[in-house]
Every structure is written in C-alpha cells, then in structure tokens.
Amino acid sequence: MNRVYIKTYGCQMNERDSEAVAALLRARGYRMVQDENACDVMLLNTCSVRDAAEQKAIGKAANVSQKRKHNPRFILGILGCMAQNRGAELLDALPDVDLIVGTQKFHQVPDYLDNLRAAQEAGTPIGNTIIDIAEEAGSQNTIRDHVLEESQVTAFVSIQQGCNMDCAFCIVPKTRGDERSRPMNEIVRECEQLAERGVREITLLGQIVTSYGRRDYEHTGGITPFVQLLEHINAIPGIRRIRFTSPHPRGFKDDLIQAYGRLEKLCEYVHLPLQSGSDRILKAMNRPYSRDRYKQIVDDLRRVRPDMYFSTDIIVGFPGETEDDFQQTRELFEACNYDMAYVFKYSIRTGTPAATLEDQIPDEVKEARNNQLLAILAANSDRRNATLLGTTLEVLVEGPDKKGRGFMGRTRGNRIVHFEANERLIGELVPVKIERASTAVLYGSLILAGVESPESKA
Ligand code: 5AD
C-alpha cells in the first residue's frame, strides 16, 4: 500500500519540487512507481500559470477519483500551485481529494500521507481532507534532496522561491509567495555533492533567479549575489556546465553580462522573457523595461558571446493589445532571432490586476498571433540548424535516447543532439559532428578521441 505515483504539471520548478517530495517519501519507506495504474497514492503537482493547466489537473483528478471510487484505500493528493491558489475551494469540484498541500509545505507530504494511512488502518473513514496551504518561514530551504537516477548527469537546483515583481498577468506571486533565497553556502554544497554523484550540468531554478539573495548578501565590487553564486559554482571542479531559469531582464546588469565572458562553464544560452515588444503593453503588464532596453541586453550579450543562443516567453493577446502592439512584438521577436520561445495566449487569472481589464482579446485573434510567432520561430530554428551542419559541437552525453535509437545529449546552446555512442561516454563532453537536422533535433556522429572540438571548454 505504499506505492506512490507523482504526476507533474508545469515548469521545471515543479519538476524539482516533485523530485524533492519523491526523495522524502523514499526516505520514509514509500516506493515511487512510474505506472499510474499500479499505485496506492497519486499526487498531482499542479500548475496555475494558465487556466488550461488548472483544467488539465482538475480533469485528471476527477477522472482518477471516479475510477478509484471502489477502492477506499486509494489516496489522491493535489500539491503545488493550484493547491495554493484554490485551497479548500477545490473540494467543490473534487470532493474525494484526500490531501491539498501548497507550495511552502511540500516537505510535510510524508507526514500527511502517514497520517492518512494511519487513519485508514484504524478504520476511520478518510473523508476529512488534510489541507495545508499556510506560509512557512524558511520553506525555500526544504527543496534540497535529490533522487538521482543511475548515471544522471544533469540536475536542477532550487536557489530561490517566490517573486515580488507584480506583473499584471501573473498568478505566481500568489502561488509562490514572497521572494526567499536559500543560503549561498548550502546551494554550493548541494552542487558539490551532485558533482560527486556524477552530475556535470546544473540548472539553477527560481521564479526570478537574477534577484537571488538581494536582501541577504552584499554586492561586492559591483557583483550581485546571483553572479557571486555563479562564480562559486563555476569553481566546482566536477561541474562542467551551468544554466539557470528564469531570470528577469532587469537582472541583466553589467556584472551578469560580463560573467558570460569570464565564467567558462556558464552556457551561452539565455532564457530572457520578453512578454511583449510594445512599450505600451509592457507598461500595462507592469514590466519595468522598454523594448529598446531589452534589445540592448540582447545586443550586449551577443557582443560578449557572439554565439549566444536566446529563448524567451511571450504573451499574445494581453488585454488591450492592438494589431500595432502585436506588430511591435513581432518585429522585436524577429530582431532578437530567438532559437527557442514559449508563446502563450493570455489567460485570465482571477485575482491578478489584468483579469479585470477591459478589452480582453478574442481567442481567434490570440490564436492567429500565436501562430505567426511560432512560424517565425520554426524558421529561426531551421536557419540556426543550417549554420550548425558540418560543424563539430561539444555535447554532454546524457544517456540513451528515449526511443532507444542511439544516445542523446545537448550542446552548450541547449540544442538536443542524437548520435551513436556507448554507456561509457555518459557524463562526458564529447565532440559531435552535426550531419543532419530537424527543426528541434540535431543528428551527428561522435568524432574519435583526440580530435579537438572548437567549442570545447574543457
Ligand atoms: N497568461 C498567459 N501566459 C502567462 N504567463 C504567465 N501568466 C500568464 C497568463 N496569465 C506566461 C509568461 C511567463 C510564463 C511562465 O508563463 O510568459 O513568463
């Protein structure tokens, strides 16, 4: 009765939270399973950033509780952002949910499951849902345990939780709370331990990582705490690559831009959320930068790293977005020449300032704008891939490709590459000659040992 299946919706932070919950549950004697039809406990770790994400999880929970009606010992829990956002109100739609746990209480999940199971053993009908969506000081420090699969070479490390930016569209300040950072030495120790366990690439996670430690640490010599943290991780011998997500454009001051020139492990791939290319809409979104300032950051980063790869987040159809506003976005989107982008149709989030704005945009308009940007993105990606054909890139070998055809890894620019290799190379940085490309994946061949990769940073 101790088999737990966790389904994760949404962002990498959620994936990381689920992993930390899994590590705690394992330590408590629970068994994590991959088959949702063979579990005794199902936990849905949810996302609230758009309505569709909430609906998906609600649909899943309704479906599961329907199917499991005959099994009184089955436990269904809802964790994370939607639990935080909606709390007990979820029971209106989902009366059979046993557990509702918010974003600051993940570490309590083992205790709550133990309690639910003890109640079952005692023959007390469950029926009393455990709900905990309180705030907890220091909860950012509880996401630190990892379940590493054998030969796992990449890992997420949570450095910061919450966001104080108040973007008009965004529910995250409500679901994740105020900005709180983990102590720098604990993060560095976690990265060192991951390196000892074979991890070679670290992705630092937070809702606004560039604000890391801003209230806890001094700027020293014009260097922000976030860049200080990058410096420390860059100095860990076993770590070969560093990435982070998500930053805020306002965090790209000179110290971070220069870091790309001097921290050799910092990968030349930046996810830089734009949201809109119209100054008028940026203002309405309460995003504190202009299109010119944003483009300046892109240009500055390309000056330091001419081979920089960019990705972004865009919202189309924010309330009041005119055709002219959208054209501004489209133009800047083209000018930035993104390699990757996440384009979202604006979704009303109750409780956010933008939810009550007039002039909501019809769905067909959002859809059309969305499609225009996706078409540009696909063309950009193909164009970038064409420049990579015939070149040799440094690839971190992650493991067998999921479909069982050869191996997969990533370039520093975060491009996925498929190639033939063997188990011994997992965790190695190897030169791969790129021979072929689809829009999303590169295909190549390992260059034999002794041949130097031009991109190699070893
Ligand atoms: N509607 C659509 N997209 C949104 N995002 C955040 N809130 C909304 C919303 N209400 C997008 C932003 C953010 C990403 C994680 O999700 O682009 O950067």
Side-chain angles (χ1 to χ4, degrees):
M1 298 309 284
N2 66 349
R3 299 166 304 170
V4 182
Y5 173 78
I6 305 183
K7 184 167 176 65
T8 306
Y9 298 85
C11 65
Q12 287 136 324
M13 180 68 90
N14 283 11
E15 282 177 40
R16 177 69 196 106
D17 292 336
S18 292
E19 193 209 358
V21 169
L24 292 172
L25 286 173
R26 250 192 205 175
R28 193 64 76 81
Y30 288 85
R31 199 148 59 81
M32 307 310 301
V33 297
Q34 304 298 324
D35 179 1
E36 62 174 290
N37 297 311
C39 68
D40 311 299
V41 177
M42 187 181 295
L43 302 175
L44 306 180
N45 191 9
T46 57
C47 170
S48 285
V49 85
R50 284 173 302 282
D51 186 54
E54 289 202 346
Q55 293 315 324
K56 232 193 212 167
I58 289 174
K60 180 76 184 173
N63 199 290
V64 168
S65 41
Q66 189 64 27
K67 271 206 302 210
R68 300 298 182 116
K69 256 201 171 113
H70 57 280
N71 179 0
R73 300 179 75 88
F74 180 72
I75 293 174
L76 176 61
I78 297 194
L79 316 183
C81 286
M82 186 172 72
Q84 192 71 44
N85 189 28
R86 299 202 173 194
E89 169 208 318
L90 280 171
L91 294 173
D92 299 345
L94 303 166
D96 298 326
V97 169
D98 305 296
L99 184 61
I100 296 178
V101 176
T103 53
Q104 305 200 19
K105 295 291 184 175
F106 286 114
H107 57 291
Q108 298 286 15
V109 168
D111 279 352
Y112 292 147
L113 286 185
D114 283 356
N115 293 349
L116 287 167
R117 293 195 334 150
Q120 286 176 342
E121 301 290 319
T124 328
I126 301 195
N128 282 337
T129 306
I130 297 179
I131 303 179
D132 189 355
I133 57 170
E135 288 180 17
E136 183 176 315
S139 64
Q140 73 275 17
N141 301 330
T142 61
I143 305 298
R144 52 165 194 251
D145 299 308
H146 291 260
V147 189
L148 292 186
E149 283 168 28
E150 213 184 322
S151 75
Q152 185 178 332
V153 298
T154 64
F156 294 135
V157 171
S158 169
I159 65 167
Q160 176 265 338
Q161 295 260 331
C163 183
N164 291 3
M165 288 306 288
D166 285 324
C167 298
F169 50 80
C170 190
I171 195 75
V172 167
K174 180 173 175 203
T175 61
R176 290 283 178 171
D178 278 337
E179 268 171 53
R180 288 111 53 218
S181 296
R182 291 178 61 198
M184 203 174 307
N185 58 355
E186 286 184 18
I187 298 168
V188 174
R189 197 177 328 131
E190 183 174 326
C191 293
E192 286 167 349
Q193 286 165 353
L194 288 168
E196 279 160 26
R197 292 166 72 180
V199 168
R200 297 290 167 255
E201 178 178 303
I202 297 277
T203 302
L204 303 175
L205 296 181
Q207 273 79 39
I208 176 159
V209 286
T210 36
S211 293
Y212 170 78
R214 65 176 166 146
R215 296 200 220 90
D216 315 287
Y217 299 97
E218 302 279 323
H219 288 220
T220 42
I223 308 284
T224 50
F226 179 61
V227 174
Q228 293 170 33
L229 177 64
L230 294 177
E231 289 172 351
H232 286 302
I233 300 173
N234 194 67
I236 301 173
I239 300 299
R240 309 294 295 274
R241 290 177 170 185
I242 307 168
R243 307 182 189 278
F244 56 81
T245 197
S246 280
H248 192 289
R250 80 200 292 255
F252 282 81
K253 304 275 159 45
D254 204 44
D255 66 324
L256 182 51
I257 290 176
Q258 296 309 327
Y260 281 91
R262 66 190 175 87
L263 301 181
E264 74 282 3
K265 296 175 186 175
L266 191 55
C267 289
E268 50 276 17
Y269 175 90
V270 179
H271 179 67
L272 191 61
L274 169 62
Q275 313 298 3
S276 170
S278 151
D279 284 340
R280 206 177 66 82
I281 296 295
L282 284 171
K283 192 142 188 265
M285 287 176 162
N286 198 24
R287 298 280 293 178
Y289 52 87
S290 62
R291 56 182 279 123
D292 286 351
R293 170 67 193 132
Y294 182 96
K295 184 60 169 43
Q296 182 74 52
I297 296 168
V298 169
D299 292 346
D300 287 349
L301 284 164
R302 285 216 162 101
R303 208 162 297 127
V304 174
R305 293 298 313 245
D307 52 350
M308 188 68 90
Y309 288 68
F310 283 97
S311 104
T312 196
D313 287 344
I314 304 280
I315 297 176
V316 292
F318 184 82
E321 184 186 71
T322 62
E323 188 53 34
D324 180 61
D325 290 318
F326 174 69
Q327 287 310 325
Q328 305 257 334
T329 298
R330 189 194 148 105
E331 188 201 291
L332 188 53
F333 190 89
E334 284 192 317
C336 291
N337 201 6
Y338 296 109
D339 293 282
M340 181 57 201
Y342 302 88
V343 184
F344 304 108
K345 293 180 268 183
Y346 172 72
S347 167
I348 294 179
R349 309 286 54 221
T350 306
T352 61
T356 50
L357 291 178
E358 304 206 336
D359 202 6
Q360 297 286 335
I361 305 300
D363 205 51
E364 341 43 288
V365 176
K366 292 181 194 169
E367 185 69 32
R369 292 177 182 172
N370 184 63
N371 291 342
Q372 284 191 52
L373 296 185
L374 291 182
I376 295 170
L377 177 66
N380 280 358
S381 189
D382 288 341
R383 198 164 55 230
R384 168 72 89 171
N385 289 347
T387 69
L388 300 177
L389 291 180
T391 68
T392 300
L393 301 177
E394 178 202 278
V395 172
L396 174 63
V397 186
E398 293 185 22
D401 128 59
K402 287 207 182 74
K403 290 181 189 137
R405 290 170 309 195
F407 280 68
M408 67 78 62
R410 271 168 225 268
T411 68
R412 286 175 56 101
N414 214 20
R415 282 291 205 247
I416 292 173
V417 188
H418 288 208
F419 51 97
E420 293 298 331
N422 64 53
E423 298 279 335
R424 275 183 304 114
L425 290 174
I426 294 174
E428 299 290 325
L429 297 171
V430 298
V432 174
K433 182 161 189 196
I434 306 304
E435 291 158 343
R436 183 160 83 70
S438 67
T439 301
V441 180
L442 301 172
Y443 301 85
S445 306
L446 203 60
I447 300 290
L448 294 175
V451 181
E452 259 305 310
S453 142
E455 219 195 68
S456 176
K457 292 284 172 296

